[in-house]
Amino acid sequence: MLFSTERLQQIEHIVKERQHVRVAELSEYLGVSEPTIRRDLQKLEAMGRLRRAHGGAVALMQATPEPPIIHRLTECAEEKRRIGQVAASLIEDGETVFLGSGTTTLEVARNLVERQGLTVITNALNIATELAGHENITLIVTGGVVRHSEFSMIGHIVEQTLKELRADKVIMSMRAVSVKEGLTNANLLETMTDRVVMQFAHEVILVADHTKFGKAATGIVAPITAIHKIVTDDQVSADTVRQIQKLGIEVIQA
């Protein structure tokens, strides 16, 4: 019989290889009881190695490398357009809002151009360009080191600038979103900037299409409970929505 540590390693390997495996199959293969397998799966889920599912476990999906922002403009374009409209409706005239970088936050910006009395703070060059010609919006650009593939500015300069400002709302996107793994990002410097951004306002709103959910990237930004609202599309699974809502987070599907 395998020792506990060896058995956990075996289970992790099997789940990664098959992507989905049932408790009964693991019990038979490893020669231990189903309650023992369930306890092992609980341990592995707590370690972030897999995700338990009904009757078994599934491999935790890793977020694929993110293509440059210019290549993502056409991905899920209709979903992002709807998300942008709904997220923009959550902003009141006269408020100060921070818009993070990304293709979905760009759609939010496009829906703000007719609004009155807004102050928009951003670290995204494409969003700054989108709003720069609209005198009804006070635009503050943070400065920072340009991440060319994202048209974003990151690093110490951004973080220092935000210490001098405040916002009513932060609207940001994220590379990967998981109930268990939280909010994660692939670029570690951007991860540090995102952490500062999330402390910057009374309300944090995440905009993310369905392809971002149930995945994890390398850099941990924050637990999912750091978000107050999520605006997404109608293709996110009902089970995922229920899990998020149980944590007290409002989910709006556009």
Side-chain angles (χ1 to χ4, degrees):
M1 181 178 292
L2 294 172
F3 290 110
S4 175
T5 302
E6 294 173 320
R7 191 172 63 247
L8 292 177
Q9 291 173 344
Q10 278 275 62
I11 292 171
E12 183 181 358
H13 175 75
I14 292 167
V15 173
K16 281 183 178 178
E17 189 175 69
R18 300 188 189 178
Q19 293 297 301
H20 179 271
V21 65
R22 299 186 64 80
V23 168
E25 293 174 309
L26 290 169
S27 174
E28 181 179 356
Y29 182 78
L30 297 172
V32 295
S33 69
E34 291 190 12
T36 297
I37 293 296
R38 291 191 185 94
R39 287 193 294 271
D40 287 345
L41 294 179
Q42 286 179 332
K43 291 176 184 176
L44 287 167
E45 185 178 51
M47 294 163 64
R49 304 296 176 81
L50 51 74
R51 180 168 60 84
R52 285 185 297 158
H54 182 68
V58 295
L60 187 66
M61 294 178 64
Q62 293 295 313
T64 56
E66 192 166 42
I69 191 170
I70 197 166
H71 295 157
R72 303 199 312 272
L73 289 171
T74 57
E75 294 178 358
C76 300
E78 177 58 26
E79 289 89 342
K80 291 174 181 177
R81 185 188 63 78
R82 296 199 309 268
I83 291 169
Q85 288 178 336
V86 172
S89 73
L90 302 176
I91 300 170
E92 303 288 340
D93 284 351
E95 286 190 320
T96 297
V97 59
F98 178 92
L99 292 181
S101 63
T103 52
T104 310
T105 47
L106 177 61
E107 289 297 332
V108 179
R110 287 171 173 165
N111 283 277
L112 295 177
V113 295
E114 301 298 328
R115 305 293 288 277
Q116 298 299 316
L118 285 184
T119 297
V120 175
I121 305 166
T122 188
N123 67 329
L125 294 173
N126 55 343
I127 290 175
T129 301
E130 188 75 29
L131 299 178
H134 298 275
E135 295 183 1
N136 52 311
I137 293 176
T138 299
L139 178 64
I140 301 173
V141 183
T142 62
V145 178
V146 173
R147 186 182 173 202
H148 297 280
S149 64
E150 288 298 297
F151 300 158
S152 64
M153 290 168 280
I154 58 177
H156 180 70
I157 295 173
V158 180
E159 295 159 19
Q160 286 298 114
T161 300
L162 295 184
K163 288 180 181 178
E164 304 295 326
L165 301 168
R166 60 158 295 281
D168 299 297
K169 295 181 173 80
V170 162
I171 297 184
M172 64 191 306
S173 59
M174 197 61 54
R175 182 72 190 105
V177 184
S178 164
V179 173
K180 185 67 180 177
E181 299 298 312
L183 310 173
T184 53
N185 210 328
N187 183 282
L188 297 183
L189 282 177
E190 192 161 59
T191 295
M192 299 296 291
T193 299
D194 285 344
R195 289 176 185 170
V196 174
V197 167
M198 294 189 72
Q199 305 298 319
F200 179 55
H202 301 300
E203 184 176 0
V204 181
I205 301 169
L206 179 72
V207 289
D209 66 71
H210 65 279
T211 64
K212 303 297 179 65
F213 289 84
K215 298 179 180 179
T218 305
I220 298 171
V221 177
I224 196 170
T225 50
I227 296 294
H228 300 96
K229 293 178 183 176
I230 296 176
V231 184
T232 185
D233 58 63
D234 57 6
Q235 295 187 55
V236 179
S237 73
D239 182 58
T240 296
V241 171
R242 281 194 297 270
Q243 289 183 55
I244 294 171
Q245 289 173 332
K246 283 181 180 179
L247 297 172
I249 302 165
E250 182 179 353
V251 179
I252 304 170
Q253 291 183 275

